[in-house]
């Protein structure tokens, strides 16, 4: 496995183990994957482990830190990263187009917190969509749209994103920023909606509507040698006001960071 695979694997597992509470997207990394011993993003399979910590989505939840094993794969056309995957049906030096799939874990369970008593459990769903990236000398400009295909939330999500990669030998530093747009059904199901049947005197009914959340991230990958890779990533989502003011959210955003080490097979 290669460092990058490792890095991605760690991140994906982290996201999986935290039930997708962290909306960190690392997909553009695979465009830099190279099959050599110094690339900070190598091709192939990587196995390793990661530590992830951050801000919980709902007010009643506590901050948690997880230590998790994982695996990731970057091929010529296929990428697997924990809870999500891409298949490139077109890829050249200027444009990349791909099919996208994600298994989104549920993130609210009345059995976990007394504050959720009377609410419906937010269960997992399978999402599918398409995306594209314009590759320029200075930035990767991306758009991706996906939709629930399991009938759980019946919602959609559109990501508009720009990455600004800097590669110096065996080091990659890639800051990025963008906007996450969620349909009312997606936002209400996973980001703070409270239906009429879930409302109580202490928890008012709440409709998020369609939401627009700015996001920023930085990803760093470092190749120690031909077999070992390390990475650090951090992501902040500044919630749309209709998410932040939800009676079960009550904060302005979520910050997640992860630190990972992997072995390249």
């Amino acid at each position: 496995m290669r460092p990058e695979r490792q890095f991605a694997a760690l991140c994906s597992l982290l996201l999986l183990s935290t039930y997708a509470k962290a909306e960190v997207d690392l997909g553009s990394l695979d465009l830099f994957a190279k099959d050599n011993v110094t690339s900070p993003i190598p091709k192939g399979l990587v196995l390793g482990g990661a530590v992830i910590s951050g801000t919980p989505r709902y007010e009643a939840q506590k901050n948690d830190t997880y230590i998790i094993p994982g695996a990731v794969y970057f091929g010529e056309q296929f990428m697997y990263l924990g809870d999500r995957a891409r298949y490139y049906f077109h890829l050249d030096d200027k444009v990349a187009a791909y099919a996208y799939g994600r298994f989104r874990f549920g993130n609210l369970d009345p059995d976990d917190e007394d504050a959720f008593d009377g609410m419906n459990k937010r269960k997992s769903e399978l999402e599918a969509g398409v995306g594209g990236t314009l590759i320029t000398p200075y930035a990767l400009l991306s758009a991706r749209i996906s939709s629930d295909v399991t009938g759980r939330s019946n919602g959609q999500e559109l990501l508009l994103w720009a990455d600004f990669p800097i590669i110096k030998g065996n080091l990659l530093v890639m800051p990025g920023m963008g906007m996450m747009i969620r349909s009312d059904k997606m936002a209400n199901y996973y980001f703070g909606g409270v239906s009429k049947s879930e409302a109580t005197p202490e928890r008012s009914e709440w409709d998020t509507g369609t939401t627009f959340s700015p996001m920023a991230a930085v990803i760093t990958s470092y190749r120690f040698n031909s077999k070992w890779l390390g990475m650090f990533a951090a992501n902040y989502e500044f919630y749309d006001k209709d998410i932040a003011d939800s009676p079960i959210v009550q904060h302005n955003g979520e910050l997640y960071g992860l630190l990972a080490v992997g072995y390249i097979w």
Side-chain angles (χ1 to χ4, degrees):
M1 271 176 202
R2 285 133 195 168
E4 153 130 276
R5 302 304 184 275
Q6 201 157 349
F7 158 55
L10 297 177
C11 298
S12 56
L13 272 186
L14 294 176
L15 297 178
L16 288 175
S17 298
T18 53
Y19 301 101
K21 294 177 184 176
E23 296 297 311
V24 181
D25 193 287
L26 307 170
S28 294
L29 284 176
D30 57 327
L31 296 178
F32 300 100
K34 296 187 182 301
D35 196 8
N36 62 57
V37 297
T38 60
S39 173
I41 316 272
K43 288 186 179 292
L45 175 66
V46 177
L47 299 178
V51 177
I52 187 170
S53 184
T55 310
R57 182 159 304 159
Y58 303 114
E59 183 183 24
Q61 294 171 330
K62 298 178 177 62
N63 291 351
D64 283 312
T65 298
Y66 302 86
I67 301 175
I68 303 154
V72 70
Y73 177 80
F74 291 93
E76 293 296 329
Q77 292 179 274
F78 180 75
M79 179 203 75
Y80 165 75
L81 180 59
D83 64 342
R84 62 200 72 190
R86 290 184 178 190
Y87 177 79
Y88 288 92
F89 51 83
H90 177 83
L91 179 59
D92 59 33
D93 292 339
K94 295 183 178 180
V95 176
Y98 57 89
Y100 171 83
R102 176 183 180 182
F103 185 83
R104 186 189 295 268
F105 286 86
N107 61 8
L108 185 155
D109 189 337
D111 292 337
D112 292 341
E113 304 289 346
D114 291 342
F116 299 150
D117 285 351
M119 297 196 71
N120 299 319
K121 183 177 180 179
R122 274 39 169 184
K123 300 179 181 179
S124 58
E125 68 180 31
L126 181 64
E127 299 168 10
V130 294
T133 300
L134 179 64
I135 303 169
T136 78
Y138 306 103
L140 303 176
L141 307 176
S142 302
R144 188 193 73 221
I145 188 168
S146 58
S147 179
D148 171 30
V149 295
T150 52
R152 192 58 50 77
S153 73
N154 292 311
Q156 293 76 42
E157 191 173 73
L158 171 64
L159 176 66
L160 304 175
W161 194 262
D163 282 312
F164 304 93
I166 301 168
I167 299 176
K168 299 291 185 182
N170 56 350
L171 172 67
L172 165 72
V173 179
M174 189 165 69
M177 60 188 299
M179 177 73 71
M180 184 70 79
I181 304 169
R182 300 183 178 96
S183 71
D184 58 342
K185 291 180 180 179
M186 173 70 74
N188 275 309
Y189 197 78
Y190 288 114
F191 292 85
V194 179
S195 67
K196 184 176 181 179
S197 64
E198 295 173 320
T200 67
E202 294 77 27
R203 182 177 61 229
S204 59
E205 182 179 357
W206 191 262
D207 182 359
T208 65
T210 299
T211 63
F212 298 79
S213 294
M215 300 175 72
V218 61
I219 299 168
T220 302
S221 180
Y222 182 77
R223 184 78 169 266
F224 295 112
N225 53 44
S226 62
K227 291 296 184 182
W228 288 96
L229 172 79
M231 78 81 67
F232 169 79
N235 182 91
Y236 184 78
E237 175 176 347
F238 188 82
Y239 286 150
D240 183 292
K241 188 175 185 297
D242 286 329
I243 295 176
D245 290 347
S246 162
I248 60 174
V249 176
Q250 295 298 302
H251 51 268
N252 290 328
E254 61 184 61
L255 172 66
Y256 272 88
L258 68 84
L259 181 67
V261 178
Y263 180 81
I264 304 144
W265 294 88

